[in-house]
Amino acid sequence: MKNITFLFFVFPIILFGQKSELLMFNNLVEKTWKAEGNWADGSKFYQEISMQYSLDSTIIVVNSIGFIDLEQTKLGLRNHGIRQFDNESNRINFWEFDIKSELTKGIVFSEGNNIIYQYDYNGSIVTDMWEYVDDSTYNFKIGNYEDGLWKLLFLSTKFVCTNGK
């Protein structure tokens, strides 16, 4: 009987612990986030992102609407992403599949309430940062981020929640 009681109380804690690594995304999940701005080269940036937990909250599925044509006039589903905690490496990995049949993959971690993505892009380490402002706003930056400083910025804008929960 003691073993059954032990399992009844400890097993949910173990299961919850396996999913807790994704808790940094809780404020982003089940909401729609919109950002507009300009890249450093002057071209337009637009994204509308939604995130949902899936597979019993062991992954996060991300769908991104953005420009799907070179002229930057047509919006559509541009990216489909996955975030998953990897027990072996003890980190969160991400995969971002885009409309051009390209795959971006890297790691995700947090600094306080900020969510940071890092990945190799054409031989250079690039960082995307969701810098927490409040529960409905994040500053969003893409560039070269080293030792807590932005060395080069490719994009700086804001993501705003368009549907509060």
Side-chain angles (χ1 to χ4, degrees):
M1 184 68 165
K2 287 182 182 179
N3 287 341
I4 292 173
T5 304
F6 176 77
L7 286 176
F8 180 74
F9 287 107
V10 173
F11 192 68
I13 293 170
I14 292 169
L15 283 178
F16 180 76
Q18 291 174 337
K19 299 173 192 172
S20 68
E21 297 297 335
L22 298 175
L23 290 178
M24 73 173 82
F25 294 100
N26 271 359
N27 188 53
L28 300 174
V29 173
E30 301 298 330
K31 298 177 183 175
T32 301
W33 298 88
K34 182 179 173 181
E36 294 183 71
N38 291 303
W39 290 96
D41 68 2
S43 60
K44 292 188 290 185
F45 173 83
Y46 177 91
Q47 267 194 343
E48 199 172 304
I49 295 176
S50 62
M51 298 185 188
Q52 289 80 35
Y53 283 111
S54 188
L55 299 179
D56 197 25
S57 298
T58 59
I59 67 170
I60 295 173
V61 177
V62 182
N63 289 301
S64 302
I65 293 172
F67 293 116
I68 57 173
D69 62 340
L70 290 175
E71 296 78 27
Q72 296 181 304
T73 57
K74 187 175 179 185
L75 295 173
L77 185 59
R78 188 179 189 317
N79 295 52
H80 182 80
I82 304 290
R83 304 343 177 210
Q84 181 183 42
F85 180 73
D86 177 41
N87 288 319
E88 192 173 305
S89 65
N90 198 33
R91 66 182 188 193
I92 298 173
N93 294 316
F94 80 90
W95 299 266
E96 200 73 33
F97 303 87
D98 72 24
I99 196 165
K100 299 183 290 183
S101 297
E102 294 179 2
L103 170 64
T104 301
K105 57 185 176 178
I107 61 170
V108 185
F109 58 94
S110 64
E111 288 180 353
N113 289 332
N114 301 336
I115 300 172
I116 300 169
Y117 293 77
Q118 288 190 324
Y119 51 97
D120 183 306
Y121 186 78
N122 294 331
S124 178
I125 300 300
V126 176
T127 300
D128 294 8
M129 181 184 288
W130 287 67
E131 183 180 44
Y132 182 85
V133 174
D134 59 41
D135 283 352
S136 62
T137 309
Y138 287 81
N139 291 325
F140 182 65
K141 298 177 181 176
I142 300 176
N144 296 116
Y145 182 75
E146 297 174 21
D147 303 319
L149 299 171
W150 290 100
K151 306 291 183 184
L152 184 61
L153 273 178
F154 307 128
L155 176 72
S156 182
T157 188
K158 288 184 188 302
F159 269 104
V160 177
C161 181
T162 61
N163 65 336
K165 197 174 181 191

